[in-house]
Amino acid sequence: MKKITLLIPCYNEEASLPALYDALRQLMDQQKDYEWEVLMVNDGSRDHTIDIIRQLRARDGRICYIDLSRNFGKENAMLAGFDYATGDCMVIMDADLQHPPHVIPEMLRYWEEGYEDVYAKRITRGRESWLRRRLSLLYYHLLQKTTRVEILENVGDFRLLDRKCIDALKRLRETERYTKGMYCWVGFRKHEVLFEQGDRVAGESSFNFLRLLSLAMEGITSFTTAPLRLATILGLIVSAVAFSFMVYVLVTTLIWGDPVQGYPTLMTVILFLGGVQLLSLGIIGEYLGRIFHETKGRPVYIAREVAMSQQSPGPEQEN
């Protein structure tokens, strides 16, 4: 019998977990042709999430969990799930029921047909502001134009991954992770399913605008060097314009004898050049910062407690 792992990263989800478990229990009881494993990764929650998970495990042995020592972020929490999952395939979903469990049987059907990465594409984005929706679409458009890897638009972490994909993703040990790009980078046969994204059943999203902006920066700097090239092109353009202006001033002074004037113009040029230099240094600094973090070689996550149906720890040197 094939085994399915449901990977659910959790951060402050105590209010959502009971409803999530009821929905998953109904799904697992209906799909009796598979063996099920629900792997919840508590990503340093500040509420009683881990206590709720322990209670669910006491009621149902299919519930497994990893309790991380602190909040490492969703991307790293998912890597912990990759390391410990024992299923023949794995479905990644959020704990807030925005990813509806009733889509999973359709994913399994395509997996049985031979597809190794069955991703769920949002038809709607649920209760989301117009500005956030437009910025998200703009971000995906820019990422598509600047990377050599096709980044799927309007597709999140809700997907089914075959064991081949899981093993491939486990080998990617970056500390600065952008898993949505990694799914595309590893390749394999992919298939799309459509779903209506719901609203959160309880609690509030931990992804505010600043965290989403940080995630966007991770995606851009992880999968493209376009900002560095942009800084180079901008520097060349500014240098060419500055040289042309210098020649113009020199020629007009020699021919007409005009003194060099224009304090406002001079200040504008200096401030503009200074801004371009700071922008370029900032872009270089973003990449250097990521190199700095990678060279430390620290663990991507640290697990405080692990409870599995069949113990399957990830290699200690790869954590």
Side-chain angles (χ1 to χ4, degrees), residues 10-266:
C10 303
Y11 179 69
N12 295 343
E13 297 288 356
E14 64 175 356
S16 302
L17 290 179
L20 173 67
Y21 171 71
D22 290 340
L24 294 181
R25 180 173 55 82
Q26 183 179 2
L27 168 70
M28 293 186 292
D29 292 343
Q30 291 174 349
Q31 300 288 325
K32 297 183 180 298
D33 294 335
Y34 299 103
E35 180 183 356
W36 293 90
E37 170 186 78
V38 181
L39 178 54
M40 298 184 177
V41 183
N42 179 43
D43 188 22
S45 299
R46 299 179 180 179
D47 59 5
H48 298 287
T49 294
I50 186 60
D51 298 325
I52 300 297
I53 294 176
R54 290 193 184 108
Q55 293 172 13
L56 292 175
R57 177 173 173 79
R59 294 168 50 189
D60 192 332
R62 295 172 295 186
I63 305 297
C64 307
Y65 67 85
I66 305 169
D67 185 23
L68 301 185
S69 61
R70 66 169 177 84
N71 178 244
F72 287 90
K74 182 181 179 182
E75 303 288 318
N76 296 340
M78 287 193 295
L79 179 61
F82 296 161
D83 286 340
Y84 285 88
T86 61
D88 297 298
C89 73
M90 176 172 62
V91 177
I92 309 169
M93 60 187 303
D94 290 343
D96 54 14
L97 284 176
Q98 287 187 303
H99 298 161
H102 65 76
V103 180
I104 294 176
E106 183 180 2
M107 291 179 167
L108 291 172
R109 178 166 59 84
Y110 285 115
W111 176 58
E112 294 285 7
E113 292 178 4
Y115 292 99
E116 296 148 326
D117 181 352
V118 184
Y119 60 88
K121 184 174 183 178
R122 292 178 288 248
I123 301 175
T124 60
R125 300 181 63 94
R127 189 168 51 196
E128 188 176 59
S129 67
W130 178 88
L131 178 61
R132 178 168 170 174
R133 183 181 299 110
R134 298 307 302 175
L135 289 176
S136 297
L137 295 176
L138 176 61
Y139 162 70
Y140 281 114
H141 179 73
L142 291 175
L143 202 58
Q144 287 278 20
K145 294 295 184 181
T146 56
T147 60
R148 297 181 180 180
V149 179
E150 182 184 6
I151 307 297
L152 299 172
E153 184 177 332
N154 240 359
V155 175
D157 295 311
F158 187 27
R159 63 179 65 218
L160 180 149
L161 298 173
D162 184 77
R163 170 52 62 179
K164 296 176 183 178
C165 298
I166 300 170
D167 292 338
L169 290 166
K170 285 169 60 175
R171 296 170 59 188
L172 307 181
R173 310 303 296 191
E174 296 103 298
T175 58
E176 305 288 339
R177 305 181 64 80
Y178 184 66
T179 313
K180 294 179 182 62
M182 293 179 180
Y183 298 139
C184 301
W185 187 88
V186 297
F188 296 103
R189 295 184 63 199
K190 302 183 185 301
H191 196 282
E192 169 188 293
V193 297
L194 302 176
F195 80 104
E196 295 276 357
Q197 177 168 301
D199 299 323
R200 291 182 62 91
V201 295
E204 296 181 358
S205 174
S206 60
F207 277 86
N208 54 31
F209 179 78
L210 291 179
R211 292 193 66 180
L212 289 173
L213 180 61
S214 176
L215 183 62
M217 289 296 298
E218 294 288 350
I220 292 173
T221 54
S222 296
F223 283 89
T224 177
T225 57
L228 291 173
R229 185 163 298 176
L230 176 63
T232 301
I233 295 173
L234 188 59
L236 290 173
I237 293 174
V238 171
S239 298
V241 172
F243 179 78
S244 301
F245 184 69
M246 180 188 70
V247 172
Y248 168 77
V249 171
L250 180 62
V251 170
T252 54
T253 302
L254 291 176
I255 296 177
W256 289 286
D258 291 339
V260 179
Q261 298 178 356
Y263 176 77
T265 303
L266 182 62

Side-chain angles (χ1 to χ4, degrees), residues 277-290:
Q277 290 174 339
L278 290 175
L279 174 63
S280 301
L281 288 174
I283 293 173
I284 295 172
E286 288 288 337
Y287 284 91
L288 284 177
R290 279 149 181 77

